[in-house]
Amino acid sequence: MENEIIQWIYQAAEKIKAALNDELVIDEKNGRTDLVTNVDKETQDFLVDKIRTYDPDAHILGEENGQDQTDISNGRVFVIDPIDGTMNFVLQKENFCIMIAVFEEGIGQLGFIYDVMRDDLFWGGPKLGKVFHNRKELPKPANTKLADGLIGMGVSLVTGENKFHTKEIGREAMGVRILGCAGLDFIAILKGTQNGYISRLSPWDYAAGIVMMQQFDMAFSGFQDQPLSFNGREFFKGGTQAVMSEITEYDI
Amino acid sequence: MENEIIQWIYQAAEKIKAALNDELVIDEKNGRTDLVTNVDKETQDFLVDKIRTYDPDAHILGEENGQDQTDISNGRVFVIDPIDGTMNFVLQKENFCIMIAVFEEGIGQLGFIYDVMRDDLFWGGPKLGKVFHNRKELPKPANTKLADGLIGMGVSLVTGENKFHTKEIGREAMGVRILGCAGLDFIAILKGTQNGYISRLSPWDYAAGIVMMQQFDMAFSGFQDQPLSFNGREFFKGGTQAVMSEITEYDI
């Protein structure tokens, strides 16, 4: 299955890169900083079509086109984010990802995060027992503490009230990074170049990332250690076991 | 002169990349998040040696080795940052830059920012009347407003008290990015993928960037529109003319 998915991702990326030369059709979803473009929608349709052909019985949980209310625990579910980091896609034409995850009866089996413009694919999970960076196996990062690494944060956590203790957590860390694309934050965690991430995310933002984090025995959860709901946008925290213990002390 | 400087930068980058395989010697400067490594110091020595050979009369203003107190307005001054983004260099082994600027009697003439691991060089300024991205001339970005772009911020502005109105400015923008490397923020401004940047910076952090911004008729200043001092760490704001007018309304 992983070979098929990788092919779909590379094909989708070619379509996205070709579309960068054309005028984008941009719509707002929930406010002016939550955008969707014709390319997000077309890429989701392309991936959905591939999935339907490959496995007509599979369910799909996806960001666009009203496919965002699928029970993660029932059968095989493909979770797809055709363009993660749409704002970067629109304003930067780089720093965005294609993400796909495969869950079986609620268990994450495979995750794929593709940084399109850097041609960097991270993929793997429990089904393979490994995580790969392109064709090379990725080593598991060290279990570093907050004070020994960089923590990624979602924009809205930093521009909002300080209810998620972003200032305290940021000062405890060696620094804060804001990349504007969950996929890039998960890539950084898997590479070990960031050791934690807190944000507000939807299921398609975190599905692929957590499958690969699980393979590395890293930790993640919703607010106050609740399991992630896979249902709508929610608080997300994840990172090394050490960082997660420290963040949890802030009661978030 | 620009051809020589580009050669020095590429040579310095090769030394830095070779050093990534060795154990780093890391020291703290002003606190645990302000680091310097043996590679910063060796790279500065390498560049200083090249400059002294090329122009024995030139002055040098550099981050390391006690060369940080040079009058920018006197004669020809090379402003050098051997590794901008030392924290990224140490923890990520990517997302850091080599930066060099040339000032003549206080006027910025040439700026060079090299994203080492992406092999991406941005260079130019009034002496050439152009800015280049590698071998290609870079077009001047549009004069976009805060609400139409992404704003870069320094880590300390976001983890500290809100005295620089980072929340308000961040909410007005389409989003905030924190890259942890001034050179990468200036590159984003020159490419037009971010349209503003506020941070606390030292002269070697902003010298190369502002020379190229000047070529694009962009604006920059210190706190409350004071000229940049080129003397120690200070508040920095810069961006498109439109963004700078809007930021100035916050009295910063």
Side-chain angles (χ1 to χ4, degrees), chain B:
Chain B
M1 175 161 43
E2 55 276 13
N3 292 330
E4 284 84 354
I5 295 173
I6 290 173
Q7 270 194 14
W8 307 339
I9 288 172
Y10 285 148
Q11 289 169 3
E14 286 311 309
K15 289 175 184 289
I16 292 171
K17 284 189 274 189
L20 282 175
N21 300 317
D22 304 330
E23 187 90 12
L24 292 174
V25 182
I26 303 171
D27 289 314
E28 292 178 8
K29 291 195 289 189
N30 303 303
R32 72 177 183 95
T33 61
D34 186 17
L35 305 180
V36 62
T37 76
N38 59 309
V39 185
D40 297 70
K41 293 175 188 171
E42 288 158 21
T43 306
Q44 174 142 333
D45 285 344
F46 172 82
L47 293 172
V48 165
D49 189 55
K50 291 289 182 189
I51 293 166
R52 294 247 183 276
T53 306
Y54 174 78
D55 181 356
D57 296 331
H59 305 283
I60 292 172
L61 174 60
E63 178 162 17
E64 315 303 345
N65 304 348
Q67 293 177 301
D68 58 347
Q69 294 288 329
T70 303
D71 179 5
I72 192 69
S73 63
N74 181 18
R76 177 181 286 169
V77 183
F78 285 81
V79 188
I80 57 181
D81 193 344
I83 297 181
D84 171 56
T86 299
M87 184 66 77
N88 288 348
F89 173 67
V90 170
L91 293 176
Q92 305 193 320
K93 297 182 191 288
E94 61 183 354
N95 300 320
F96 59 89
C97 295
I98 299 171
M99 302 202 287
I100 298 180
V102 183
F103 280 68
E104 312 260 8
E105 310 296 346
I107 310 293
Q109 293 291 354
L110 287 170
F112 304 79
I113 304 178
Y114 185 52
D115 178 339
V116 175
M117 301 310 285
R118 287 190 193 91
D119 186 22
D120 244 350
L121 178 67
F122 294 79
W123 58 290
K127 181 172 181 288
L128 302 174
K130 288 176 183 174
V131 176
F132 294 91
H133 175 194
N134 296 320
R135 291 286 143 193
K136 213 172 146 188
E137 189 177 343
L138 195 65
K140 178 181 163 174
N143 183 23
T144 52
K145 294 172 63 176
L146 210 42
D148 297 321
L150 298 165
I151 183 150
M153 292 188 186
V155 177
S156 70
L157 264 52
V158 170
T159 56
E161 296 313 309
N162 192 34
K163 67 178 171 176
F164 297 113
H165 299 277
T166 52
K167 284 182 192 292
E168 294 85 348
I169 292 170
R171 284 194 291 255
E172 178 76 14
M174 288 299 260
V176 175
R177 297 293 178 264
I178 300 184
L179 308 178
C181 170
L184 294 181
D185 281 290
F186 283 112
I187 286 175
I189 285 178
L190 295 167
K191 287 162 72 177
T193 58
Q194 290 175 195
N195 62 4
Y197 180 39
I198 54 177
S199 191
R200 282 200 194 88
L201 298 179
S202 296
W204 40 87
D205 296 320
Y206 58 67
I210 62 172
V211 171
M212 289 186 273
M213 285 178 73
Q214 205 149 21
Q215 179 59 41
F216 280 160
D217 196 30
M218 289 168 148
F220 48 83
S221 78
F223 189 60
Q224 291 176 334
D225 298 338
Q226 289 167 46
L228 294 164
S229 72
F230 285 84
N231 182 13
R233 204 154 178 247
E234 63 194 305
F235 177 79
F236 172 91
K237 58 179 172 173
T240 63
Q241 297 281 354
V243 164
M244 278 290 278
S245 303
E246 291 174 286
I247 291 177
T248 296
E249 286 173 25
Y250 289 99
D251 196 31
I252 59 168

Side-chain angles (χ1 to χ4, degrees), chain A residues 1-9 78 100 102 110 112:
Chain A
M1 177 162 40
E2 56 275 14
N3 293 330
E4 285 84 355
I5 295 173
I6 291 172
Q7 270 193 14
W8 307 339
I9 288 172
F78 285 83
I100 297 180
V102 183
L110 288 171
F112 304 79

Side-chain angles (χ1 to χ4, degrees), chain A residues 14 28 73 77-78 94 108 115 125 141 157 159 170 173 218 221 229:
Chain A
E14 287 311 309
E28 294 179 7
S73 62
V77 184
F78 285 83
E94 61 183 354
D115 177 339
L157 265 52
T159 54
M218 290 168 148
S221 78
S229 72

Side-chain angles (χ1 to χ4, degrees), chain A residues 53-87:
Chain A
T53 305
Y54 174 78
D55 181 355
D57 296 331
H59 304 284
I60 293 172
L61 174 58
E63 179 163 18
E64 315 303 345
N65 304 349
Q67 292 176 301
D68 58 347
Q69 295 286 329
T70 302
D71 179 7
I72 192 71
S73 62
N74 181 18
R76 177 182 287 167
V77 184
F78 285 83
V79 188
I80 57 181
D81 192 346
I83 298 182
D84 171 56
T86 299
M87 185 66 78

Side-chain angles (χ1 to χ4, degrees), chain A residues 32-50:
Chain A
R32 70 177 185 96
T33 61
D34 185 16
L35 304 181
V36 61
T37 75
N38 59 310
V39 185
D40 297 69
K41 293 175 188 170
E42 287 158 20
T43 306
Q44 174 143 332
D45 285 344
F46 172 81
L47 293 171
V48 165
D49 190 54
K50 291 289 182 188

